[in-house]
Amino acid sequence: MVQYNFKNITVVPNGKDFIDIILSRTQRQTPTVVHKGYAISRLRQFYMRKVKYTQTNYYDKLSTIIDEFPRLDDIHPFYGDLLHVLYNKDHYKLALGQINTARNLISKIAKDYVRLLKYGDSLYRCKCLKVAALGRMCTVIKRVAPSLAYLEQIRQHMARLPSIDPNTRTILICGYPNVGKSSFINKITRADVDVQPYAFTTKSLFVGHTDYKYLRYQVIDTPGILDRPFEDRNIIEMCSITALAHLRAAVLFFLDISGSCGYTIAQQAALFHSIKSLFMNKPLTIVCNKTDLQPLEGISEEDKKLVMEMKAEAMKTVIGQGGEPTDDQGVLLTMSTLTEDGVIAVKNAACERLLDQRVEIKMKSKKINDCLNRFHVAIPKPRDQKERPPCIPQAVLEAKAKQAAEKEKRKTEKDLENENGGAGVYSASLKKNYILANDEWKEDVLPEILDGHNVYDFIDPDILQRLEELEQEEGLRQAEEVDDDFEMDGKELTPEEQQALAEIRKKKSLLIQQHRIKKSTAESRPIVPRKFDKDKQFTTRRMGRQLSALGLDPSKAIDRARSRSRGRKRERSPDNECGDAMDIDVDTPNKKLRMRSRSQSRSVSRPPGEVVPGEGFKDSAQKVKAQKLAKKSSKKRNKDARRGEADRVIPTLKPKHLFSGKRSTGKTDRR
Amino acid sequence: MRIEKCWFCSSTIYPGHGIQFVRNDAKIFRFCRSKCHKNFKMKRNPRKVKWTKAYRRLHGKDMTQDSTFEFERKRNRPERYDRNLTENTLKAIKTIDKVRSRREAKHIETRKKGKKAQLMREAVKELEQSISLVKAPSVLKEDKSYTLPKIKVKVSQEEAKNQPMEE
């Protein structure tokens, strides 16, 4: 609520700053680019927008100022008066009024210039109009700048006012300067008010809070009041007077018995009497402070009389509360803030009286009746005078007593621990209280895992029985197995058959291997007819071997093959030479013939380019070219001393002469 | 401390080994080693992966039903400790283990026995069909048995010397 908290008022900017803020905002938030080539309506719109924008901003800001500052008539009279005392109501109102007029003026200026802009016919004219409008608005603000400064000062001061709630329970402390008001508030609340030997240490109101009977009380410390006519009072005193006047609070009037404040009791009494009109309807307590310096009994007679007069006055405020003739309790009290003697008593007394008064008022008001109707305390009517105290059976009382005794006697685990060396040394035996069939088993360690099984899974009360059954079953099974074993001797192959099978399998695997080789090299092998067989695979000797392995006699087949394979020429020539010789010597043929045949059966080295029919070359030219190509491809490798195509060994991976040093020119990507 | 079973391969997981994976539906998967874990992450079905126990049981390679499996059951109600019972249990575990392993071996043996007859049949058929690779049909007509013919080669003396090298 505005009443309590003036801290939420926005900052009022300086006149110059205000203008700067608004103008820079206009500059930023409205379009800035315009050319004289634009359509005239667009130009007019552009400048009108700027004027309107500036006016709107000024209006908004000034409105917030006007709204946020409190209207002195609308707030609680206490605050109203306080603000008046501090800031002068008229001045305040004037300042706000000036702000208001400024706002209206600005609105009018904007309206006028917008109307003129509607008829601007060139860029330059519109621009001048806009400049004029903004200029006038800013001058208005410049004129109002002192008010703004004043309002800013007020705002800062208001923010620092203590937040006093005028409606809650309040205790007001008043009296001459230096009597001990601030020390008292320091004692009973958490407030930290300056306490100094000079007068008017406290220059404004201070608030503290204290508790009594679960309720919160505000305690307000006021600056000291001097005994002067009302008109002569200064602002500081006026603060306290305002507080006294407007707050419905319990008043503690402080009296310095010892006179060490610099004023006599007579003067203080005079003050009392001059402001006693302000104590109307407020529970008043007279507090005699500084009793450590001068006890109440030790003062002079006249002073005592004055004090009694004051007490009598205070009594008047007591009367009217359901008739309590026992008055002394709350009206005149002594204490000493230095020794803290009686401080609490004073506080309690003041709080009690205030509470009573507030309750009384509430009871008298109409609102309370609604509440009263809602609750009703039922008390049973006593039917006779017999006393009936609560009845507790004897057994219960005894049990309670015994329990109490036991609690003291029983030894706890904690005690045990402490006896045996403390927390780190002693570890409690958790198995102590186990309930087992045999107490010796308490400390047994049970293995949890055995041979890859969890032991807990096997534990069963009838495991022995089941184990027996299992063993019986196993015995039976084993007997059956022995019988089974005899049956399974089936047929077996004879050793010769086995050998034959092995041979068959070997031969088959050989065939398969050969076929696979042939298949994989089919692409790269030349397709040559069998008669040009270069490797001399297909010989009669071979055929003879294979046939005899099968069990056949190969001689006839060999002869036939050999007779066919001989070329006619060769056969003829020895015939022609010695036809008769053949007839004579069948078994020992001509030596020449023998020599020739022998030499022909040996391999003869051929000239390099000659084509052997089994090789697959078309003619000798092709063969020669093929040989040349083969030589060419291996030349380079041989030069590098490589063993073959696949030899990619690098003897030294990083030879130093290639990897060290910089190059003057050229790349280093070849190592 | 409990020994758990790997979800994938069903081997035992000793304490301190493997990884446990808890899915959002609170099902716990335990793995004995990263091989099983990675297979699981690849969403492979253990019933289709040859080396797991699940596969072997499903395809009848290993014993599935036996009374020895009844002994090892997770019981949720704890029994009160009894020293004699525990002693007996520990001894029983050993015998039960022996029995179980013997039975498993028997199972595998019986499984493998059936192969012999088939092999025999195959051998006989092969002999019958392919004997001509090692024995000429004319020789076979004379001598019906499957004995291999003795090699008789008429060679001159020189060639006899070379023969061992060539063959």
mmCIF file with all atom_site columns, all heavy atoms in Angstrom, chain A residues 462-481:
data_model
loop_
_atom_site.group_PDB
_atom_site.id
_atom_site.type_symbol
_atom_site.label_atom_id
_atom_site.label_alt_id
_atom_site.label_comp_id
_atom_site.label_asym_id
_atom_site.label_entity_id
_atom_site.label_seq_id
_atom_site.pdbx_PDB_ins_code
_atom_site.Cartn_x
_atom_site.Cartn_y
_atom_site.Cartn_z
_atom_site.occupancy
_atom_site.B_iso_or_equiv
_atom_site.pdbx_formal_charge
_atom_site.auth_seq_id
_atom_site.auth_comp_id
_atom_site.auth_asym_id
_atom_site.auth_atom_id
_atom_site.pdbx_PDB_model_num
ATOM 1   N N   . ASP A 1 462 ? 13.881 -80.231  3.478   1.00 0.00 ? 462 ASP A N   1
ATOM 2   C CA  . ASP A 1 462 ? 13.893 -81.668  3.165   1.00 0.00 ? 462 ASP A CA  1
ATOM 3   C C   . ASP A 1 462 ? 14.921 -82.000  2.094   1.00 0.00 ? 462 ASP A C   1
ATOM 4   O O   . ASP A 1 462 ? 14.686 -82.847  1.236   1.00 0.00 ? 462 ASP A O   1
ATOM 5   C CB  . ASP A 1 462 ? 12.502 -82.172  2.741   1.00 0.00 ? 462 ASP A CB  1
ATOM 6   C CG  . ASP A 1 462 ? 11.605 -81.066  2.279   1.00 0.00 ? 462 ASP A CG  1
ATOM 7   O OD1 . ASP A 1 462 ? 11.219 -80.258  3.153   1.00 0.00 ? 462 ASP A OD1 1
ATOM 8   O OD2 . ASP A 1 462 ? 11.265 -81.026  1.093   1.00 0.00 ? 462 ASP A OD2 1
ATOM 9   N N   . ILE A 1 463 ? 16.045 -81.360  2.165   1.00 0.00 ? 463 ILE A N   1
ATOM 10  C CA  . ILE A 1 463 ? 17.027 -81.612  1.108   1.00 0.00 ? 463 ILE A CA  1
ATOM 11  C C   . ILE A 1 463 ? 17.614 -83.005  1.232   1.00 0.00 ? 463 ILE A C   1
ATOM 12  O O   . ILE A 1 463 ? 17.921 -83.646  0.217   1.00 0.00 ? 463 ILE A O   1
ATOM 13  C CB  . ILE A 1 463 ? 18.129 -80.528  1.113   1.00 0.00 ? 463 ILE A CB  1
ATOM 14  C CG1 . ILE A 1 463 ? 18.924 -80.623  -0.189  1.00 0.00 ? 463 ILE A CG1 1
ATOM 15  C CG2 . ILE A 1 463 ? 19.043 -80.668  2.314   1.00 0.00 ? 463 ILE A CG2 1
ATOM 16  C CD1 . ILE A 1 463 ? 19.770 -79.445  -0.458  1.00 0.00 ? 463 ILE A CD1 1
ATOM 17  N N   . LEU A 1 464 ? 17.755 -83.497  2.432   1.00 0.00 ? 464 LEU A N   1
ATOM 18  C CA  . LEU A 1 464 ? 18.348 -84.827  2.603   1.00 0.00 ? 464 LEU A CA  1
ATOM 19  C C   . LEU A 1 464 ? 17.479 -85.878  1.930   1.00 0.00 ? 464 LEU A C   1
ATOM 20  O O   . LEU A 1 464 ? 17.972 -86.741  1.187   1.00 0.00 ? 464 LEU A O   1
ATOM 21  C CB  . LEU A 1 464 ? 18.479 -85.146  4.093   1.00 0.00 ? 464 LEU A CB  1
ATOM 22  C CG  . LEU A 1 464 ? 19.733 -84.592  4.768   1.00 0.00 ? 464 LEU A CG  1
ATOM 23  C CD1 . LEU A 1 464 ? 19.711 -84.938  6.239   1.00 0.00 ? 464 LEU A CD1 1
ATOM 24  C CD2 . LEU A 1 464 ? 20.986 -85.151  4.131   1.00 0.00 ? 464 LEU A CD2 1
ATOM 25  N N   . GLN A 1 465 ? 16.206 -85.781  2.174   1.00 0.00 ? 465 GLN A N   1
ATOM 26  C CA  . GLN A 1 465 ? 15.293 -86.762  1.608   1.00 0.00 ? 465 GLN A CA  1
ATOM 27  C C   . GLN A 1 465 ? 15.362 -86.741  0.084   1.00 0.00 ? 465 GLN A C   1
ATOM 28  O O   . GLN A 1 465 ? 15.475 -87.764  -0.580  1.00 0.00 ? 465 GLN A O   1
ATOM 29  C CB  . GLN A 1 465 ? 13.882 -86.424  2.095   1.00 0.00 ? 465 GLN A CB  1
ATOM 30  C CG  . GLN A 1 465 ? 12.855 -87.396  1.645   1.00 0.00 ? 465 GLN A CG  1
ATOM 31  C CD  . GLN A 1 465 ? 11.470 -86.762  1.755   1.00 0.00 ? 465 GLN A CD  1
ATOM 32  O OE1 . GLN A 1 465 ? 11.333 -85.561  1.899   1.00 0.00 ? 465 GLN A OE1 1
ATOM 33  N NE2 . GLN A 1 465 ? 10.454 -87.570  1.679   1.00 0.00 ? 465 GLN A NE2 1
ATOM 34  N N   . ARG A 1 466 ? 15.354 -85.537  -0.444  1.00 0.00 ? 466 ARG A N   1
ATOM 35  C CA  . ARG A 1 466 ? 15.368 -85.421  -1.899  1.00 0.00 ? 466 ARG A CA  1
ATOM 36  C C   . ARG A 1 466 ? 16.686 -85.918  -2.471  1.00 0.00 ? 466 ARG A C   1
ATOM 37  O O   . ARG A 1 466 ? 16.720 -86.497  -3.562  1.00 0.00 ? 466 ARG A O   1
ATOM 38  C CB  . ARG A 1 466 ? 15.136 -83.955  -2.294  1.00 0.00 ? 466 ARG A CB  1
ATOM 39  C CG  . ARG A 1 466 ? 13.720 -83.527  -1.975  1.00 0.00 ? 466 ARG A CG  1
ATOM 40  C CD  . ARG A 1 466 ? 13.568 -82.034  -2.060  1.00 0.00 ? 466 ARG A CD  1
ATOM 41  N NE  . ARG A 1 466 ? 13.629 -81.600  -3.448  1.00 0.00 ? 466 ARG A NE  1
ATOM 42  C CZ  . ARG A 1 466 ? 13.784 -80.351  -3.810  1.00 0.00 ? 466 ARG A CZ  1
ATOM 43  N NH1 . ARG A 1 466 ? 13.908 -79.397  -2.908  1.00 0.00 ? 466 ARG A NH1 1
ATOM 44  N NH2 . ARG A 1 466 ? 13.841 -80.033  -5.075  1.00 0.00 ? 466 ARG A NH2 1
ATOM 45  N N   . LEU A 1 467 ? 17.719 -85.693  -1.748  1.00 0.00 ? 467 LEU A N   1
ATOM 46  C CA  . LEU A 1 467 ? 19.016 -86.175  -2.209  1.00 0.00 ? 467 LEU A CA  1
ATOM 47  C C   . LEU A 1 467 ? 19.024 -87.684  -2.281  1.00 0.00 ? 467 LEU A C   1
ATOM 48  O O   . LEU A 1 467 ? 19.545 -88.275  -3.236  1.00 0.00 ? 467 LEU A O   1
ATOM 49  C CB  . LEU A 1 467 ? 20.107 -85.668  -1.261  1.00 0.00 ? 467 LEU A CB  1
ATOM 50  C CG  . LEU A 1 467 ? 21.540 -85.904  -1.701  1.00 0.00 ? 467 LEU A CG  1
ATOM 51  C CD1 . LEU A 1 467 ? 21.809 -85.137  -2.974  1.00 0.00 ? 467 LEU A CD1 1
ATOM 52  C CD2 . LEU A 1 467 ? 22.502 -85.491  -0.626  1.00 0.00 ? 467 LEU A CD2 1
ATOM 53  N N   . GLU A 1 468 ? 18.448 -88.323  -1.268  1.00 0.00 ? 468 GLU A N   1
ATOM 54  C CA  . GLU A 1 468 ? 18.364 -89.790  -1.278  1.00 0.00 ? 468 GLU A CA  1
ATOM 55  C C   . GLU A 1 468 ? 17.614 -90.286  -2.500  1.00 0.00 ? 468 GLU A C   1
ATOM 56  O O   . GLU A 1 468 ? 18.045 -91.195  -3.208  1.00 0.00 ? 468 GLU A O   1
ATOM 57  C CB  . GLU A 1 468 ? 17.617 -90.260  -0.031  1.00 0.00 ? 468 GLU A CB  1
ATOM 58  C CG  . GLU A 1 468 ? 18.532 -90.722  1.087   1.00 0.00 ? 468 GLU A CG  1
ATOM 59  C CD  . GLU A 1 468 ? 17.717 -91.335  2.190   1.00 0.00 ? 468 GLU A CD  1
ATOM 60  O OE1 . GLU A 1 468 ? 16.996 -92.308  1.887   1.00 0.00 ? 468 GLU A OE1 1
ATOM 61  O OE2 . GLU A 1 468 ? 17.790 -90.825  3.306   1.00 0.00 ? 468 GLU A OE2 1
ATOM 62  N N   . GLU A 1 469 ? 16.486 -89.655  -2.754  1.00 0.00 ? 469 GLU A N   1
ATOM 63  C CA  . GLU A 1 469 ? 15.691 -90.057  -3.924  1.00 0.00 ? 469 GLU A CA  1
ATOM 64  C C   . GLU A 1 469 ? 16.513 -89.940  -5.192  1.00 0.00 ? 469 GLU A C   1
ATOM 65  O O   . GLU A 1 469 ? 16.499 -90.814  -6.066  1.00 0.00 ? 469 GLU A O   1
ATOM 66  C CB  . GLU A 1 469 ? 14.459 -89.147  -4.044  1.00 0.00 ? 469 GLU A CB  1
ATOM 67  C CG  . GLU A 1 469 ? 13.374 -89.428  -3.034  1.00 0.00 ? 469 GLU A CG  1
ATOM 68  C CD  . GLU A 1 469 ? 12.293 -88.360  -3.103  1.00 0.00 ? 469 GLU A CD  1
ATOM 69  O OE1 . GLU A 1 469 ? 12.205 -87.666  -4.150  1.00 0.00 ? 469 GLU A OE1 1
ATOM 70  O OE2 . GLU A 1 469 ? 11.554 -88.217  -2.128  1.00 0.00 ? 469 GLU A OE2 1
ATOM 71  N N   . LEU A 1 470 ? 17.229 -88.840  -5.267  1.00 0.00 ? 470 LEU A N   1
ATOM 72  C CA  . LEU A 1 470 ? 18.040 -88.607  -6.459  1.00 0.00 ? 470 LEU A CA  1
ATOM 73  C C   . LEU A 1 470 ? 19.066 -89.701  -6.639  1.00 0.00 ? 470 LEU A C   1
ATOM 74  O O   . LEU A 1 470 ? 19.282 -90.208  -7.747  1.00 0.00 ? 470 LEU A O   1
ATOM 75  C CB  . LEU A 1 470 ? 18.726 -87.239  -6.338  1.00 0.00 ? 470 LEU A CB  1
ATOM 76  C CG  . LEU A 1 470 ? 19.607 -86.865  -7.513  1.00 0.00 ? 470 LEU A CG  1
ATOM 77  C CD1 . LEU A 1 470 ? 18.769 -86.552  -8.714  1.00 0.00 ? 470 LEU A CD1 1
ATOM 78  C CD2 . LEU A 1 470 ? 20.484 -85.689  -7.165  1.00 0.00 ? 470 LEU A CD2 1
ATOM 79  N N   . GLU A 1 471 ? 19.696 -90.068  -5.536  1.00 0.00 ? 471 GLU A N   1
ATOM 80  C CA  . GLU A 1 471 ? 20.753 -91.079  -5.647  1.00 0.00 ? 471 GLU A CA  1
ATOM 81  C C   . GLU A 1 471 ? 20.173 -92.418  -6.065  1.00 0.00 ? 471 GLU A C   1
ATOM 82  O O   . GLU A 1 471 ? 20.780 -93.143  -6.861  1.00 0.00 ? 471 GLU A O   1
ATOM 83  C CB  . GLU A 1 471 ? 21.509 -91.174  -4.331  1.00 0.00 ? 471 GLU A CB  1
ATOM 84  C CG  . GLU A 1 471 ? 22.340 -89.934  -4.117  1.00 0.00 ? 471 GLU A CG  1
ATOM 85  C CD  . GLU A 1 471 ? 23.309 -90.061  -2.961  1.00 0.00 ? 471 GLU A CD  1
ATOM 86  O OE1 . GLU A 1 471 ? 23.087 -90.939  -2.104  1.00 0.00 ? 471 GLU A OE1 1
ATOM 87  O OE2 . GLU A 1 471 ? 24.263 -89.285  -2.926  1.00 0.00 ? 471 GLU A OE2 1
ATOM 88  N N   . GLN A 1 472 ? 19.024 -92.751  -5.568  1.00 0.00 ? 472 GLN A N   1
ATOM 89  C CA  . GLN A 1 472 ? 18.368 -93.995  -5.988  1.00 0.00 ? 472 GLN A CA  1
ATOM 90  C C   . GLN A 1 472 ? 18.104 -93.976  -7.489  1.00 0.00 ? 472 GLN A C   1
ATOM 91  O O   . GLN A 1 472 ? 18.434 -94.919  -8.216  1.00 0.00 ? 472 GLN A O   1
ATOM 92  C CB  . GLN A 1 472 ? 17.029 -94.143  -5.271  1.00 0.00 ? 472 GLN A CB  1
ATOM 93  C CG  . GLN A 1 472 ? 17.155 -94.707  -3.890  1.00 0.00 ? 472 GLN A CG  1
ATOM 94  C CD  . GLN A 1 472 ? 15.803 -94.777  -3.224  1.00 0.00 ? 472 GLN A CD  1
ATOM 95  O OE1 . GLN A 1 472 ? 14.773 -94.574  -3.871  1.00 0.00 ? 472 GLN A OE1 1
ATOM 96  N NE2 . GLN A 1 472 ? 15.794 -95.083  -1.942  1.00 0.00 ? 472 GLN A NE2 1
ATOM 97  N N   . GLU A 1 473 ? 17.558 -92.859  -7.905  1.00 0.00 ? 473 GLU A N   1
ATOM 98  C CA  . GLU A 1 473 ? 17.247 -92.721  -9.332  1.00 0.00 ? 473 GLU A CA  1
ATOM 99  C C   . GLU A 1 473 ? 18.505 -92.893  -10.166 1.00 0.00 ? 473 GLU A C   1
ATOM 100 O O   . GLU A 1 473 ? 18.499 -93.554  -11.208 1.00 0.00 ? 473 GLU A O   1
ATOM 101 C CB  . GLU A 1 473 ? 16.693 -91.303  -9.528  1.00 0.00 ? 473 GLU A CB  1
ATOM 102 C CG  . GLU A 1 473 ? 15.641 -91.177  -10.587 1.00 0.00 ? 473 GLU A CG  1
ATOM 103 C CD  . GLU A 1 473 ? 15.313 -89.707  -10.798 1.00 0.00 ? 473 GLU A CD  1
ATOM 104 O OE1 . GLU A 1 473 ? 14.917 -89.045  -9.814  1.00 0.00 ? 473 GLU A OE1 1
ATOM 105 O OE2 . GLU A 1 473 ? 15.478 -89.226  -11.922 1.00 0.00 ? 473 GLU A OE2 1
ATOM 106 N N   . GLU A 1 474 ? 19.574 -92.283  -9.681  1.00 0.00 ? 474 GLU A N   1
ATOM 107 C CA  . GLU A 1 474 ? 20.823 -92.336  -10.419 1.00 0.00 ? 474 GLU A CA  1
ATOM 108 C C   . GLU A 1 474 ? 21.328 -93.751  -10.513 1.00 0.00 ? 474 GLU A C   1
ATOM 109 O O   . GLU A 1 474 ? 21.823 -94.184  -11.559 1.00 0.00 ? 474 GLU A O   1
ATOM 110 C CB  . GLU A 1 474 ? 21.855 -91.438  -9.723  1.00 0.00 ? 474 GLU A CB  1
ATOM 111 C CG  . GLU A 1 474 ? 23.094 -91.180  -10.529 1.00 0.00 ? 474 GLU A CG  1
ATOM 112 C CD  . GLU A 1 474 ? 22.836 -90.458  -11.823 1.00 0.00 ? 474 GLU A CD  1
ATOM 113 O OE1 . GLU A 1 474 ? 21.753 -89.847  -11.955 1.00 0.00 ? 474 GLU A OE1 1
ATOM 114 O OE2 . GLU A 1 474 ? 23.670 -90.535  -12.715 1.00 0.00 ? 474 GLU A OE2 1
ATOM 115 N N   . GLY A 1 475 ? 21.224 -94.481  -9.435  1.00 0.00 ? 475 GLY A N   1
ATOM 116 C CA  . GLY A 1 475 ? 21.644 -95.877  -9.436  1.00 0.00 ? 475 GLY A CA  1
ATOM 117 C C   . GLY A 1 475 ? 20.912 -96.678  -10.503 1.00 0.00 ? 475 GLY A C   1
ATOM 118 O O   . GLY A 1 475 ? 21.509 -97.398  -11.307 1.00 0.00 ? 475 GLY A O   1
ATOM 119 N N   . LEU A 1 476 ? 19.597 -96.462  -10.564 1.00 0.00 ? 476 LEU A N   1
ATOM 120 C CA  . LEU A 1 476 ? 18.777 -97.183  -11.550 1.00 0.00 ? 476 LEU A CA  1
ATOM 121 C C   . LEU A 1 476 ? 19.242 -96.835  -12.958 1.00 0.00 ? 476 LEU A C   1
ATOM 122 O O   . LEU A 1 476 ? 19.417 -97.697  -13.810 1.00 0.00 ? 476 LEU A O   1
ATOM 123 C CB  . LEU A 1 476 ? 17.314 -96.792  -11.389 1.00 0.00 ? 476 LEU A CB  1
ATOM 124 C CG  . LEU A 1 476 ? 16.589 -97.391  -10.177 1.00 0.00 ? 476 LEU A CG  1
ATOM 125 C CD1 . LEU A 1 476 ? 15.233 -96.742  -10.019 1.00 0.00 ? 476 LEU A CD1 1
ATOM 126 C CD2 . LEU A 1 476 ? 16.442 -98.885  -10.335 1.00 0.00 ? 476 LEU A CD2 1
ATOM 127 N N   . ARG A 1 477 ? 19.456 -95.555  -13.163 1.00 0.00 ? 477 ARG A N   1
ATOM 128 C CA  . ARG A 1 477 ? 19.842 -95.114  -14.505 1.00 0.00 ? 477 ARG A CA  1
ATOM 129 C C   . ARG A 1 477 ? 21.129 -95.747  -14.957 1.00 0.00 ? 477 ARG A C   1
ATOM 130 O O   . ARG A 1 477 ? 21.282 -96.151  -16.107 1.00 0.00 ? 477 ARG A O   1
ATOM 131 C CB  . ARG A 1 477 ? 20.017 -93.605  -14.492 1.00 0.00 ? 477 ARG A CB  1
ATOM 132 C CG  . ARG A 1 477 ? 18.752 -92.892  -14.784 1.00 0.00 ? 477 ARG A CG  1
ATOM 133 C CD  . ARG A 1 477 ? 19.068 -91.592  -15.430 1.00 0.00 ? 477 ARG A CD  1
ATOM 134 N NE  . ARG A 1 477 ? 17.892 -90.733  -15.350 1.00 0.00 ? 477 ARG A NE  1
ATOM 135 C CZ  . ARG A 1 477 ? 17.810 -89.546  -15.876 1.00 0.00 ? 477 ARG A CZ  1
ATOM 136 N NH1 . ARG A 1 477 ? 18.837 -89.051  -16.507 1.00 0.00 ? 477 ARG A NH1 1
ATOM 137 N NH2 . ARG A 1 477 ? 16.705 -88.851  -15.782 1.00 0.00 ? 477 ARG A NH2 1
ATOM 138 N N   . GLN A 1 478 ? 22.084 -95.784  -14.012 1.00 0.00 ? 478 GLN A N   1
ATOM 139 C CA  . GLN A 1 478 ? 23.386 -96.326  -14.390 1.00 0.00 ? 478 GLN A CA  1
ATOM 140 C C   . GLN A 1 478 ? 23.269 -97.777  -14.785 1.00 0.00 ? 478 GLN A C   1
ATOM 141 O O   . GLN A 1 478 ? 23.918 -98.232  -15.731 1.00 0.00 ? 478 GLN A O   1
ATOM 142 C CB  . GLN A 1 478 ? 24.362 -96.168  -13.218 1.00 0.00 ? 478 GLN A CB  1
ATOM 143 C CG  . GLN A 1 478 ? 24.760 -94.738  -13.041 1.00 0.00 ? 478 GLN A CG  1
ATOM 144 C CD  . GLN A 1 478 ? 26.061 -94.597  -12.287 1.00 0.00 ? 478 GLN A CD  1
ATOM 145 O OE1 . GLN A 1 478 ? 26.379 -95.407  -11.416 1.00 0.00 ? 478 GLN A OE1 1
ATOM 146 N NE2 . GLN A 1 478 ? 26.805 -93.590  -12.624 1.00 0.00 ? 478 GLN A NE2 1
ATOM 147 N N   . ALA A 1 479 ? 22.423 -98.525  -14.058 1.00 0.00 ? 479 ALA A N   1
ATOM 148 C CA  . ALA A 1 479 ? 22.214 -99.931  -14.414 1.00 0.00 ? 479 ALA A CA  1
ATOM 149 C C   . ALA A 1 479 ? 21.678 -100.044 -15.838 1.00 0.00 ? 479 ALA A C   1
ATOM 150 O O   . ALA A 1 479 ? 22.163 -100.829 -16.643 1.00 0.00 ? 479 ALA A O   1
ATOM 151 C CB  . ALA A 1 479 ? 21.245 -100.561 -13.428 1.00 0.00 ? 479 ALA A CB  1
ATOM 152 N N   . GLU A 1 480 ? 20.734 -99.199  -16.170 1.00 0.00 ? 480 GLU A N   1
ATOM 153 C CA  . GLU A 1 480 ? 20.171 -99.241  -17.525 1.00 0.00 ? 480 GLU A CA  1
ATOM 154 C C   . GLU A 1 480 ? 21.224 -98.938  -18.569 1.00 0.00 ? 480 GLU A C   1
ATOM 155 O O   . GLU A 1 480 ? 21.260 -99.556  -19.628 1.00 0.00 ? 480 GLU A O   1
ATOM 156 C CB  . GLU A 1 480 ? 19.056 -98.197  -17.641 1.00 0.00 ? 480 GLU A CB  1
ATOM 157 C CG  . GLU A 1 480 ? 17.746 -98.674  -17.058 1.00 0.00 ? 480 GLU A CG  1
ATOM 158 C CD  . GLU A 1 480 ? 16.717 -97.550  -17.067 1.00 0.00 ? 480 GLU A CD  1
ATOM 159 O OE1 . GLU A 1 480 ? 16.927 -96.550  -17.799 1.00 0.00 ? 480 GLU A OE1 1
ATOM 160 O OE2 . GLU A 1 480 ? 15.725 -97.669  -16.369 1.00 0.00 ? 480 GLU A OE2 1
ATOM 161 N N   . GLU A 1 481 ? 22.075 -98.001  -18.269 1.00 0.00 ? 481 GLU A N   1
ATOM 162 C CA  . GLU A 1 481 ? 23.090 -97.597  -19.243 1.00 0.00 ? 481 GLU A CA  1
ATOM 163 C C   . GLU A 1 481 ? 23.989 -98.753  -19.628 1.00 0.00 ? 481 GLU A C   1
ATOM 164 O O   . GLU A 1 481 ? 24.355 -98.906  -20.784 1.00 0.00 ? 481 GLU A O   1
ATOM 165 C CB  . GLU A 1 481 ? 23.962 -96.476  -18.654 1.00 0.00 ? 481 GLU A CB  1
ATOM 166 C CG  . GLU A 1 481 ? 23.429 -95.099  -18.913 1.00 0.00 ? 481 GLU A CG  1
ATOM 167 C CD  . GLU A 1 481 ? 24.225 -94.042  -18.144 1.00 0.00 ? 481 GLU A CD  1
ATOM 168 O OE1 . GLU A 1 481 ? 25.447 -94.217  -17.980 1.00 0.00 ? 481 GLU A OE1 1
ATOM 169 O OE2 . GLU A 1 481 ? 23.612 -93.069  -17.698 1.00 0.00 ? 481 GLU A OE2 1
#
